[in-house]
């Protein structure tokens, strides 16, 4: 499969035709998309037009961007002007935003070709894409297994070669977990590094956009393009995008890598074995492994499932059938609201709206939402303490390899446990990424997660690059 | 002070006001759409205003500055603050939450002074966004329930508002009116809002309760839809009497929101506490805390204009009138106090200068066309009894119509010449001789008879005699 950097440099120097690259990817989509269902929409016609324009620009000697001719898939919760953006929800089916998300604007400006909108768990709520209103995405390594979620479509699109890269969003692990399950690289940057403008909100204080790619260099390249301050997002960090590609060959000699000794239990043996061999690889490359404790990590899952639904209950209240999206008419206003939301939202979305509404309600706020915010501060304190003695931390990305469809759908709590290792970094606002590191049970891919403190992306990418060299 | 709100049987009125004002910014609170009243519906909109999926708010710097001006003019402490979401469903609330300030507002702990050194505490003055405007068609109530359909104009959605919350320090409906009027003139003076109650850029919610002094405050009712200063007084008078009547007839006050109907002059239940929304306030995650730089606060404070109360005091001292009186109030509200100062500097009689401007310059704005020296000349003419006060009024009208001019020439043109006292005295003697009956009655203390005598002198002088001079002469003759 062609790497993003190879396509971009080939198209940029004229040795590769963007149109030909797009056709290759569309051909793979033709062959396998019907069984994988990575996309809610393949924008083939527009992709061909955009590719032809890139080729024309190259031919006429115009300067082209860092992603010239690179086919990129975008999770269907990022606004694309005039192109349906559904969040895999019936309530938004047919809705065409009048504007582009900032990341989409940046992709276009860099010459990337948007090849389609990828499937997700409805409104990014889930860990398997089984919560999509339009049917699940299959794991390209074994179509009887889930690709992870919520950005399962984006992960599968890269794993299946439908796109050279894709964008996902990560609220509690929605980039890293599907990256691990599909055997690709997935990055959740520091909160505020990538603009959220145009990302349909799930939990605003946790959501962050990031890349899926085949390798670490592609991830660094794509992240450099989409990051940077955006005046349209008040939570965007007011400083320029970090330089990442430049550090990939630096190695890890002298770096201190944290091993969490009080990690929550319930991990598959193969996954733990891969994690140990990752530590071995880093040690061989000159890093020091340091044992650390994160005592509050055991409360993170509970806190997350109060904070995220609380924010979601407010963010999703706008889908009321009044202004856009789908409406179910009824006798009076309140009945219309109820009928519209009853028909428009799936079970998991309704569950979280109710959880969140309850957590914020008068008389319950302090016991639930208020307490969850305290845990959020505690885990940040734990991390701050840990990062005094280490530069990065290594954990599993997911407790297990990709599981079978239907194996967790009857038990929401079992599904929520998929995010146990990824959630703490969202609560702290830190960066983390998943790097493929061999296979586990059923020969399915295993990912190792590299964590770093706020704006510690360079250290994180150094370690990720080293792991990639060792795998 | 009017005691129209005095309640029977020792009941005491307690009022607190929540006043919303739209800020006079060019653009909206969180987006670049125009903040302009009266445009075609749904033309000043964008993804943020409509709450489209993925849109995010960005604070308008000018809105913060205007809100700080309000806070500083109301003697508030301006402090670091945060924004919260107030969640509720309504069709004209695009995101289904309003971004507002909750436990950390921008301005806190201020006060506003009313005539008679009455101090009304200001609890807070916080920033928030306005909703869209709904119009309901069909049905009888004009409200959404029972209507056939509703139309929504989102031009107003996202317009920056400051909500100014008073402490329950107001004790009469007159004070409530004075409070709103004073607040309005402060808002205009600092340029924070056009504060037009009729256009809804200034809106009052009135909290009313009653109690007996020495006992805790009673249960309060909040009255909405009070759209003029006059209605503020009427609504309080009605509501306080309703509450007293209810209590005295054995009932109890329910905490509720009531709707003021200006045509019937009554308040009606809108919703009770039981069916009030739980707004589920929480910190707005799409915004970061607002921490105004102390230097910024000081520069805003330094740039504040002199406020109406200080201007009234200065004007009243200059003119020798009551600082809380009508003339100082009206002249400062029209912004004509500098003009009155100029008339006095040009030699005008201080008291006459302010009275002339108050009475005749309603249409003239802050910079009247009549040159200050010409108005000054007229006040001197009257003060020196060169013309009668009636003649002076005529000349004032001439002066305004001509946009100024030589007052002496105007008086001559009108044939105004004041008779000297000896000539008037002759006419007074003639009138006494001609009206002996009236004179006798006047001497017996029947002041009504004075009119006939003055009238006779006026008639024989063809209006050139000064009424005050005639009266003084008659008085001295009676006493001699």
């Amino acid at each position: 499969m062609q790497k993003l950097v190879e396509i971009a440099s080939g198209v940029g120097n004229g040795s590769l035709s963007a149109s030909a690259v797009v056709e290759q990817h569309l051909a793979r989509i033709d062959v396998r998309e019907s069984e994988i269902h990575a996309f809610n929409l393949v924008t083939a016609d527009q992709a061909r037009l955009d590719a032809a324009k890139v080729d024309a620009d190259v031919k006429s000697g115009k300067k082209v961007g860092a992603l010239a001719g690179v086919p990129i898939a975008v999770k269907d919760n990022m606004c694309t002007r005039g192109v349906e953006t559904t969040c895999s929800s019936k309530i938004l089916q047919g809705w065409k935003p009048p504007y582009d998300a900032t990341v989409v604007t940046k992709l276009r400006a860099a010459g990337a070709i948007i090849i389609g909108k990828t499937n997700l768990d409805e409104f990014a709520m889930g860990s398997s894409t089984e919560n999509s209103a339009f049917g699940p995405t299959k794991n390209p390594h074994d179509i009887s297994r889930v690709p992870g979620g919520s950005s399962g479509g984006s992960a599968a699109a890269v794993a299946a070669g439908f796109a050279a890269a894709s964008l996902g969003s990560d609220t509690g692990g929605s980039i890293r977990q599907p990256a691990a399950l599909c055997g690709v690289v997935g990055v959740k940057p520091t909160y505020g590094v990538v603009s959220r403008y145009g990302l349909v909100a799930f939990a605003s204080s946790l959501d962050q956009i990031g890349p899926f790619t085949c390798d670490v260099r592609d991830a660094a390249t794509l992240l450099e393009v989409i990051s940077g301050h955006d005046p349209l997002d008040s939570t965007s960090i007011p400083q320029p995008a970090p330089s990442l590609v430049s550090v990939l060959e630096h190695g890890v000699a002298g770096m201190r890598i944290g091993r969490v000794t009080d990690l929550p239990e319930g991990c598959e043996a193969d996954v733990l074995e891969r994690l140990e061999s990752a530590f071995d690889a880093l040690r061989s490359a000159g890093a020091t492994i340091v044992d650390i404790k994160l005592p509050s990590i055991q409360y993170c899952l509970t806190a997350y499932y109060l904070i995220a639904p609380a924010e979601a209950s407010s963010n999703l209240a706008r889908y009321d059938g009044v202004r856009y999206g789908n409406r179910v008419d009824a006798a009076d206003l309140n009945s219309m609201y109820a009928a519209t939301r009853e028909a428009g939202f799936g079970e998991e979305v309704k569950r979280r709206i109710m959880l969140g509404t309850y957590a914020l309600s008068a008389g319950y706020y302090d016991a639930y939402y208020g307490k969850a915010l305290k845990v959020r501060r505690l885990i940040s304190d734990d991390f701050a303490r840990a990062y005094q003695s280490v530069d990065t931390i290594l954990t599993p990305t997911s407790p297990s390899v990709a599981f079978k469809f239907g194996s967790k759908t009857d038990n929401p709590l079992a599904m929520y446990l998929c995010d146990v290792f990824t959630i703490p970094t969202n609560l702290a606002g830190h960066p983390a990424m998943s790097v493929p590191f061999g296979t586990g049970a059923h020969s399915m891919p295993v990912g190792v997660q590299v964590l770093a403190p706020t704006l510690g992306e360079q250290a994180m990418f150094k370690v990720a690059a080293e792991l990639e060299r060792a795998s | 002070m009017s005691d129209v709100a005095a309640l029977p049987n020792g009941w005491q009125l307690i009022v607190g006001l929540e006043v919303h004002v739209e800020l006079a910014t060019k653009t909206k609170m969180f987006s670049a759409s125009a903040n302009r009243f009266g445009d075609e519906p749904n033309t000043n909109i964008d993804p943020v205003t409509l709450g489209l999926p993925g849109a995010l708010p960005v604070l308008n710097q000018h809105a913060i500055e205007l809100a700080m001006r309000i806070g500083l003019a109301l003697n508030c402490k301006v402090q670091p603050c945060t924004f919260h979401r107030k969640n509720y469903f309504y069709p004209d609330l695009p995101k289904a939450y309003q971004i507002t300030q909750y436990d950390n507002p921008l301005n806190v702990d201020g006060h506003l002074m009313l005539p008679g050194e009455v101090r009304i505490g200001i609890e807070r003055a916080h920033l928030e966004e306005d909703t869209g405007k709904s119009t309901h068609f069909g049905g009888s109530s004009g409200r959404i329930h029972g209507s056939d359909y509703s139309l929504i104009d989102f031009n107003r959605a996202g317009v920056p508002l400051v909500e100014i919350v008073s402490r329950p320090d107001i004790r009469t409906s007159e004070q409530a009116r004075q409070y709103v009027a004073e607040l309005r003139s402060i808002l205009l003076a600092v340029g924070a809002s056009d504060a037009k109650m009729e256009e809804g850029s200034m809106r009052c919610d009135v909290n009313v309760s009653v109690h007996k002094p020495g006992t805790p405050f009673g249960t309060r009712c909040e009255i909405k839809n009070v759209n003029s200063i006059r209605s503020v007084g009427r609504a309080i008078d009605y509501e306080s009497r309703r509450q007293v009547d209810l209590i005295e007839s054995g009932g109890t006050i329910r905490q509720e929101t009531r709707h003021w109907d200006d045509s019937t002059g009554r308040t009606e239940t809108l919703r009770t506490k039981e069916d009030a929304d739980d707004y589920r306030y929480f910190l707005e995650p799409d915004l970061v805390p607002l921490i105004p730089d102390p230097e910024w606060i000081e520069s805003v404070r330094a740039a504040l204009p002199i406020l109406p109360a200080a201007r009234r005091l200065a004007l009243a001292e200059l003119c020798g009138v009551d600082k809380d009186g009508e003339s100082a109030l009206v002249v400062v509200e029209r912004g004509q106090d500098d003009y009155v100062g100029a008339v006095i500097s040009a030699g005008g009689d201080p008291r006459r200068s302010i009275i002339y401007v108050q009475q005749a310059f309603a249409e003239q704005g802050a910079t009247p066309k009549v040159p200050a020296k010409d108005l000054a000349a007229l006040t001197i003419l009257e003060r020196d009894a060169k013309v009668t006060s009636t003649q002076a009024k005529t000349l004032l009208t001439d002066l305004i119509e001509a946009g100024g001019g030589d007052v002496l020439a105007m008086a001559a043109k009108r044939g105004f010449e004041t008779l000297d006292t000896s000539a008037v005295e002759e006419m007074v003697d003639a009138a006494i001789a001609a009206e002996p009956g009236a004179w006798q009655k006047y001497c017996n203390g029947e002041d009504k008879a004075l009119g006939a005598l003055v009238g006779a002198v006026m008639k024989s002088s063809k209006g050139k005699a000064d009424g005050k001079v005639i009266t003084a002469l008659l008085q001295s003759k009676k006493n001699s």
Side-chain angles (χ1 to χ4, degrees):
Chain A
M1 244 161 296
Q2 261 172 320
K3 303 281 173 59
L4 173 151
V5 292
E6 290 162 5
I7 295 171
S9 71
V11 169
N13 67 27
S15 65
L16 211 55
S17 139
S19 297
V21 170
V22 164
E23 290 305 333
Q24 285 161 11
H25 287 85
L26 288 174
R28 284 191 209 108
I29 291 170
D30 267 351
V31 172
R32 274 199 92 188
E33 168 63 3
S34 58
E35 65 169 359
I36 302 291
H37 186 216
F39 291 97
N40 285 338
L41 181 71
V42 176
T43 50
D45 292 345
Q46 190 60 47
R48 288 185 171 111
L49 290 172
D50 292 345
K53 181 160 186 311
V54 169
D55 287 333
D57 284 350
V58 171
K59 204 165 261 176
S60 68
K62 274 192 200 157
K63 195 175 182 302
V64 292
L67 301 178
V70 177
I72 292 185
V74 173
K75 190 177 182 180
D76 201 17
N77 62 350
M78 297 174 206
C79 288
T80 40
R81 188 186 175 104
V83 176
E84 200 174 332
T85 300
T86 68
C87 296
S88 290
S89 179
K90 279 190 265 180
I91 210 156
L92 272 179
Q93 197 168 12
W95 182 65
K96 293 179 178 171
Y99 72 107
D100 275 335
T102 295
V103 285
V104 171
T105 304
K106 286 184 179 239
L107 288 183
R108 293 193 203 281
I113 311 296
I114 292 171
I115 200 156
K117 305 292 294 283
T118 58
N119 194 21
L120 62 149
D121 287 295
E122 184 178 4
F123 283 104
M125 297 178 188
S127 305
S128 67
T129 72
E130 288 168 293
N131 296 331
S132 168
F134 310 134
T137 297
K138 313 285 173 56
N139 191 316
H141 296 273
D142 176 351
I143 60 167
S144 71
R145 292 175 187 275
V146 303
S150 68
S151 311
S154 289
V158 172
F162 297 164
S166 64
L167 294 186
S169 64
D170 189 315
T171 307
S174 281
I175 291 173
R176 292 159 286 161
Q177 184 255 14
L181 269 49
C182 289
V184 297
V185 174
V187 186
K188 184 208 93 79
T190 299
Y191 184 80
V193 158
V194 179
S195 170
R196 291 184 297 117
Y197 190 75
L199 168 68
V200 180
F202 159 18
S204 312
S205 74
L206 302 163
D207 296 343
Q208 188 62 193
I209 293 172
F212 286 95
T213 54
C214 295
D215 69 10
V216 173
R217 178 172 298 272
D218 281 1
T221 306
L222 181 49
L223 183 53
E224 282 182 5
V225 169
I226 61 171
S227 55
H229 180 244
D230 181 7
L232 296 178
D233 175 359
S234 307
T235 63
S236 163
I237 297 175
Q239 64 176 52
S243 170
L244 302 173
V245 176
S246 63
V247 305
L248 297 178
E249 306 301 331
H250 284 193
V252 296
M255 286 185 77
R256 301 162 303 167
I257 316 293
R259 181 214 310 262
V260 185
T261 55
D262 49 359
L263 215 54
E265 291 177 2
C267 226
E268 285 178 359
D270 291 343
V271 171
L272 288 176
E273 185 274 318
R274 294 312 302 152
L275 179 67
E276 282 314 309
S277 75
F279 280 121
D280 291 343
L282 294 175
R283 197 181 290 111
S284 313
T288 312
I289 310 304
V290 179
D291 282 352
I292 58 162
K293 280 191 187 307
L294 297 172
S296 307
I297 201 166
Q298 55 182 315
Y299 306 115
C300 285
L301 195 73
T302 315
Y304 173 85
Y305 277 98
L306 290 166
I307 292 169
E311 293 184 18
S313 72
S314 173
N315 283 328
L316 272 63
R318 70 188 64 192
Y319 307 107
D320 57 6
V322 173
R323 294 163 306 280
Y324 50 78
N326 295 314
R327 175 192 299 176
V328 177
D329 281 315
D332 59 40
L333 180 67
N334 284 335
S335 311
M336 186 279 282
Y337 284 155
T340 295
R341 291 165 69 81
E342 165 61 27
F345 290 138
E347 285 308 306
E348 183 61 25
V349 171
K350 286 177 192 161
R351 179 181 295 118
R352 297 203 195 183
I353 288 173
M354 290 173 68
L355 258 174
T357 304
Y358 187 78
L360 287 174
S361 292
Y364 300 98
Y365 180 100
D366 290 340
Y368 295 105
Y369 186 72
K371 204 162 258 179
L373 292 182
K374 281 182 193 150
V375 170
R376 195 169 185 175
R377 278 194 296 278
L378 289 176
I379 190 65
S380 295
D381 293 347
D382 281 0
F383 275 124
R385 220 171 293 120
Y387 284 123
Q388 287 174 358
S389 55
V390 299
D391 303 305
T392 66
I393 297 169
L394 223 58
T395 73
T397 305
S398 161
S400 73
V401 297
F403 45 91
K404 294 269 191 183
F405 284 101
S407 61
K408 295 179 198 266
T409 43
D410 293 337
N411 185 350
L413 286 178
M415 190 71 91
Y416 295 171
L417 279 168
C418 294
D419 300 329
V420 69
F421 300 128
T422 47
I423 276 172
T425 42
N426 294 86
L427 291 177
H430 293 169
M433 66 191 286
S434 181
V435 187
F437 205 73
T439 56
H442 317 290
S443 303
M444 293 302 287
V446 170
V448 168
Q449 184 181 213
V450 188
L451 287 68
T454 296
L455 295 175
E457 270 85 352
Q458 286 190 335
M460 179 176 83
F461 269 92
K462 282 183 207 170
V463 173
E466 192 61 47
L467 288 173
E468 188 175 68
R469 282 189 286 271
S471 70
Chain B
M1 195 182 296
S2 160
D3 62 349
V4 66
L7 294 169
N9 304 334
W11 289 97
Q12 169 73 60
L13 171 66
I14 305 293
V15 172
L17 286 164
E18 293 167 20
V19 178
H20 289 82
V21 289
E22 291 181 353
L23 298 179
T25 53
K26 284 201 177 66
T27 58
K28 294 195 178 178
M29 176 108 163
F30 297 116
S31 77
S33 284
N35 168 19
R36 203 160 46 217
F37 181 80
D39 283 1
E40 277 291 299
N42 296 313
T43 52
N44 299 328
I45 56 172
D46 59 84
V48 176
T49 298
L50 291 180
L52 293 189
L56 294 172
V58 178
L59 256 175
N60 178 338
Q61 178 104 351
H62 192 217
I64 303 166
E65 178 162 339
L66 293 184
M68 282 176 15
R69 277 192 216 167
I70 293 173
L72 293 169
L74 295 174
N75 309 292
C76 289
K77 181 182 161 221
V78 178
Q79 59 173 17
C81 57
T82 52
F83 290 87
H84 272 64
R85 290 186 183 178
K86 178 181 179 179
N87 296 283
Y88 66 97
F89 286 92
Y90 200 73
D92 60 24
L93 186 68
K95 301 183 295 295
Y97 56 83
Q98 179 193 33
I99 303 178
T100 181
Q101 299 196 291
Y102 185 55
D103 48 6
N104 277 309
L106 177 64
N107 305 298
V108 294
D109 292 335
H111 66 268
L112 183 153
M113 297 305 293
L114 297 183
E117 305 310 307
V118 176
R119 186 182 194 274
I120 307 299
I122 304 289
E123 189 181 308
R124 56 193 282 154
H126 70 252
L127 270 165
E128 59 186 29
E129 58 177 337
D130 211 343
T131 64
K133 195 167 167 51
S134 301
T135 314
H136 309 295
F137 296 87
S140 55
S141 64
R143 299 188 211 155
I144 194 163
H145 296 291
S147 65
D148 295 334
Y149 66 98
S150 303
L151 298 178
I152 311 170
D153 177 6
F154 288 105
N155 284 354
R156 198 181 71 178
V159 164
L161 291 177
V162 165
E163 179 177 345
I164 301 151
V165 182
S166 86
R167 296 196 185 279
D169 291 348
I170 295 167
R171 294 291 175 271
T172 67
S173 58
E174 172 67 13
Q175 282 178 0
R177 286 202 301 268
Q178 289 171 342
Y179 172 85
V180 177
E182 185 65 16
L183 188 55
R184 188 171 175 274
S185 58
I186 289 171
L187 294 169
L188 292 172
V190 302
S193 173
D194 63 7
K196 290 180 180 166
M197 291 188 79
E198 66 281 9
E199 287 183 3
S201 61
M202 179 169 176
R203 311 193 280 271
C204 298
D205 297 338
V206 189
N207 286 298
V208 177
S209 67
V210 296
H211 79 139
K212 293 266 174 86
T215 67
F217 289 176
T219 304
R220 69 188 157 87
C221 292
E222 180 180 5
I223 311 170
K224 293 201 175 278
N225 192 44
V226 187
N227 298 326
S228 69
I229 291 179
R230 184 168 165 265
S231 301
V232 169
R234 291 178 69 208
I236 292 170
D237 289 338
Y238 172 83
E239 176 62 17
S240 55
R241 270 155 213 255
R242 183 191 73 85
Q243 292 185 10
V244 167
D245 289 349
L246 185 61
I247 297 167
E248 295 208 326
S249 63
T252 47
I253 308 297
R254 279 187 308 178
Q255 187 175 335
E256 59 186 8
T257 304
R258 298 178 67 85
H259 179 89
W260 167 249
D261 186 330
D262 210 44
S263 60
T264 62
R266 298 162 68 92
T267 62
E268 289 156 29
T269 300
L270 199 59
R271 54 180 178 268
T272 60
K273 192 188 175 190
E274 286 68 39
D275 50 41
D277 285 313
D278 175 357
Y279 293 121
R280 291 175 283 117
Y281 284 97
F282 73 103
L283 202 64
E284 164 59 291
D286 288 331
L287 291 172
V288 293
L290 166 61
I291 302 164
D293 190 318
E295 278 179 31
W296 186 23
I297 298 174
E298 286 319 306
S299 73
V300 172
R301 190 197 304 274
L304 282 182
I306 300 169
L307 295 177
R311 282 164 55 189
R312 284 198 300 270
L313 183 62
L315 180 67
E317 281 177 357
L318 184 66
C319 301
V321 298
D322 177 7
K323 77 175 170 60
D324 297 329
E326 190 73 8
S327 58
L329 196 74
V330 167
V331 169
V332 166
E333 192 171 289
R334 291 193 210 134
Q336 295 167 330
D337 41 338
D338 284 348
Y339 177 74
V340 170
V343 174
I344 294 167
S345 297
D349 174 68
R351 187 177 278 270
R352 284 186 174 81
S353 298
I354 188 171
I355 301 297
Y356 281 11
V357 171
Q358 180 207 343
Q359 291 178 347
F361 281 61
E363 313 297 326
Q364 300 283 307
T367 50
K369 281 199 212 88
V370 177
K373 67 172 174 44
D374 295 342
L375 189 64
L378 179 61
T379 64
I380 297 306
L381 217 54
E382 194 204 348
R383 185 195 65 193
D384 294 349
K386 295 282 169 37
V387 294
T388 68
S389 56
T390 312
Q391 288 170 340
K393 281 207 179 84
T394 305
L395 290 173
L396 184 55
T397 309
D398 292 349
L399 204 54
I400 290 168
E401 267 174 22
D406 181 348
V407 180
L408 283 172
M410 287 178 171
K413 197 174 163 200
R414 284 270 182 189
F416 292 164
E417 47 185 296
T418 317
L419 300 171
D420 64 32
T421 309
S422 63
V424 179
E425 192 166 2
E426 281 172 26
M427 290 181 199
V428 168
D429 289 338
I432 290 169
E435 305 274 355
W439 174 244
Q440 198 55 50
K441 282 182 186 166
Y442 176 62
C443 289
N444 291 342
E446 289 184 45
D447 284 346
K448 278 188 292 183
L450 182 66
L453 296 164
V454 174
V457 178
M458 280 295 201
K459 198 176 172 190
S460 54
S461 77
K462 299 193 175 83
K464 287 177 188 172
D466 192 326
K468 277 180 245 160
V469 174
I470 303 168
T471 307
L473 285 168
L474 285 166
Q475 187 83 39
S476 73
K477 284 181 188 297
K478 182 178 102 173
N479 296 340
S480 63

